[in-house]
Structure formats: structure tokens, C-alpha cells
Amino acid sequence: MSDAKTPSEYMAQLEDDWRRDKLQSIRAIIQKQAPQLSESINYKMLGYALDENYVFHLNAQTAYVSLYVGNASKIDPSGELLQGLSVGKGCVRFSKSTDITKTRIDEFIALAFEMWGAGEDIDC
């Protein structure tokens, strides 16, 4: 868990390895698909919110990078957008071997943000 107070501090504290690269890639996708969201530190990880209502969290773990999204199956009931990824009830995990460019995570993030913005329940 990070003790960073700002996203810049969080990024500076990450080891310069594959986790930083994965996190940077997913971070860029969130910023592109949901530019209205502000980035801050929440629950000791990167959080993305609008008026302090958080939609996404992003964190580098030891063995993977986690994108916390609420209930992934409410967003992608068929599993098509998350095919080939490690998915828990409330998170999507990206391992060292995951090639983010060969996933549909950008579409998933855009859909999650759209559903959240429309007031749909995507929570766990």
C-alpha cells in the first residue's frame, strides 16, 4: 500500500518495472475514455472521480495491476469485453504477460463510465 498523497507521488514511488508500464497504459485509457474524471489518491491508490464520487481505482500489486470497477459482470454480462483477462467480482487484473493493446479494456472502461454517468448500478 502506498503512502503517497498525490498521483505524482504515487507514480514516483512505483518501481520501474512492468507494473509501472501496465498501470501507465490503463491510466491513459481512463484519462482518454473519461476525461471528466479527476485523478486523486483514494484508499491509498489512484482514484478517478467526479465530484468525489469514485468510478475507478487503479493499483499496482506484487503480481498484477488491478483496475477496480464495481461489479464487472453488471458492466459486461457476456464477458466479451473482458475475454482473456483475470476478472474478480470487483476488479480486473493485469499480469506481466497481459498485452493491453490486445484487449478490449478501453471499450469496457468507456462503457462503465457511460453506465455510471447514466445512473446505472455498477456497484458490487
Side-chain angles (χ1 to χ4, degrees):
M1 292 298 239
S2 173
D3 62 352
K5 303 291 184 225
T6 67
S8 297
E9 284 180 27
Y10 182 93
M11 296 305 296
Q13 289 177 1
L14 289 177
E15 291 183 41
D16 190 14
D17 64 8
W18 66 270
R19 290 170 296 173
R20 177 191 290 256
D21 296 338
K22 300 280 187 225
L23 192 134
Q24 286 279 42
S25 295
I26 300 163
R27 182 182 188 211
I29 292 168
I30 292 171
Q31 292 169 338
K32 179 182 178 188
Q33 297 296 340
Q36 304 89 327
L37 298 178
S38 61
E39 182 182 60
S40 64
I41 299 296
N42 186 254
Y43 296 117
K44 297 188 176 195
M45 63 184 103
L46 294 175
Y48 299 87
L50 186 62
D51 300 325
E52 298 196 29
N53 294 308
Y54 285 85
V55 186
F56 305 111
H57 286 87
L58 190 55
N59 196 29
Q61 310 285 342
T62 302
Y64 49 84
V65 171
S66 295
L67 170 66
Y68 297 94
V69 296
N71 188 333
S73 65
K74 287 182 180 178
I75 300 161
D76 183 24
S78 69
E80 286 180 38
L81 298 178
L82 299 175
Q83 187 173 11
L85 295 172
S86 172
V87 181
K89 182 176 181 183
C91 72
V92 180
R93 295 176 289 270
F94 300 86
S95 66
K96 184 176 184 177
S97 63
T98 305
D99 182 347
I100 292 172
T101 64
K102 294 183 179 176
T103 71
R104 295 177 66 188
I105 195 64
D106 56 334
E107 295 173 64
F108 177 82
I109 288 170
L111 180 58
F113 180 62
E114 178 184 318
M115 291 173 70
W116 177 84
E120 294 184 46
D121 175 23
I122 62 169
D123 292 337
C124 287

